[in-house]
Amino acid sequence: MLTCKAARRSGLRGAGLSCLVGLSLLIGCKSDHESAALAELESLDQEFAVADEASPPYFRGANLDPFWSEDAAQVQRDALRVVAFSCRDQNENVVTQAHLNGRITVASFFFTHCSGICPLVTSRLKKVAAAYAAAPEVGLISFSVTPDLDTPDTLLRFARKFNLPDERWRLLTGDRTAIYALARDVFQADTRTSATHGPADFLHSENVYLLDQAGRVRGVYNGNSEQSVNELIADIARLRARP
C-alpha cells in the first residue's frame, strides 16, 4: 500500500526500537527522566505495532493522508468516499455507486488502446480477481479515461482479450466530465501537476484503490508492482474480517 506503512515498520518504529536498545546499552541506572523517556518510546512502538495489525486506514484530503479512527463521527466527516456516478459497463448495464454498497471493490482507471501500463496493471489485477473468485462480495471496477472512444462494445472486446471475469469485473464508460471529476476529487488519480490543465487534459497513473463496503477509500496501491498488489490482496482479507 502506498501509505506510511513502510515508514511505520522500518522508520519510526525501527527508530523507537533502536533508541530503546541504545539507551539500554549506554545507561545502567536510569534516572526518572530517562525512565519516562523509555516508557514513551515503548508506548510509541506499541502504538505503531497496533496500527500495523488494525484494519486498513481511511484516507482524507487532497494528499490522501491515511488515518485510523474508531470515532464514527470522524470517519463520517473526514474519510474520502465515492461520490455519485452513473456509467455503463461492457455489457451495456447501468452501474452506479449504489452497486458498490455492501461490497469490497478494487477501483482503477485505464483506456483500452493503452499499450503501456494498462495491460500490465490489468494482468496484475487478474491475480486479485483470481484470489477472490469464490467471494461474490469482492469485485473490481475500471473506469475508462477515454470514454468517448471506449464504448461498451470496445470494453467487451478488451475484457475478452484479457479473459476478464465478466460478472465480477465491470469496465465502465460514461460522461467524460463526470469520470474525470470522480478521478480527481476522490482518487487524486490525475498525475498532472499543472494547475492550468483543462477538463479534458488527464493523465492517469498505475494506482489502484481499495474501497470498503461503504464506498470509502481504504488503500492506494501501485498496480504495476507485484508486492503492492500482494498487499492489496492481504488488505482485502483484512477488510472482510474487520469492515
Side-chain angles (χ1 to χ4, degrees), residues 31-168:
S31 67
D32 291 342
H33 177 74
E34 290 162 341
S35 297
L38 281 173
E40 183 177 352
L41 285 172
E42 288 172 349
S43 175
L44 176 66
D45 181 58
Q46 291 170 3
E47 177 186 346
F48 282 105
V50 170
D52 283 345
E53 299 301 326
S55 58
Y58 301 96
F59 289 80
R60 59 188 166 200
N63 293 322
L64 292 176
D65 297 319
F67 72 99
W68 287 261
S69 178
E70 298 292 336
D71 185 339
Q74 181 189 23
V75 171
Q76 178 66 26
R77 181 184 69 246
D78 294 341
L80 283 171
R81 68 183 65 233
V82 172
V83 296
F85 69 86
S86 180
C87 293
R88 289 180 298 156
D89 69 8
Q90 66 267 37
N91 294 310
E92 295 275 6
N93 297 312
V94 175
V95 178
T96 71
Q97 75 284 354
H99 288 77
L100 310 184
N101 293 342
R103 295 170 58 85
I104 296 171
T105 304
V106 177
S108 61
F109 295 86
F110 83 116
F111 54 107
T112 61
H113 56 283
C114 168
S115 59
I117 62 173
C118 297
L120 296 174
V121 172
T122 298
S123 67
R124 300 282 190 201
L125 291 182
K126 285 182 67 175
K127 182 178 179 181
V128 179
Y132 293 98
E137 75 278 14
V138 179
L140 298 91
I141 56 172
S142 296
F143 294 90
S144 171
V145 298
T146 57
D148 300 335
L149 300 176
D150 288 337
T151 64
D153 284 343
T154 305
L155 296 177
L156 183 59
R157 288 194 296 271
F158 183 90
R160 289 174 174 172
K161 176 182 178 180
F162 288 93
N163 194 28
L164 305 185
D166 200 48
E167 71 286 355
R168 301 280 307 287

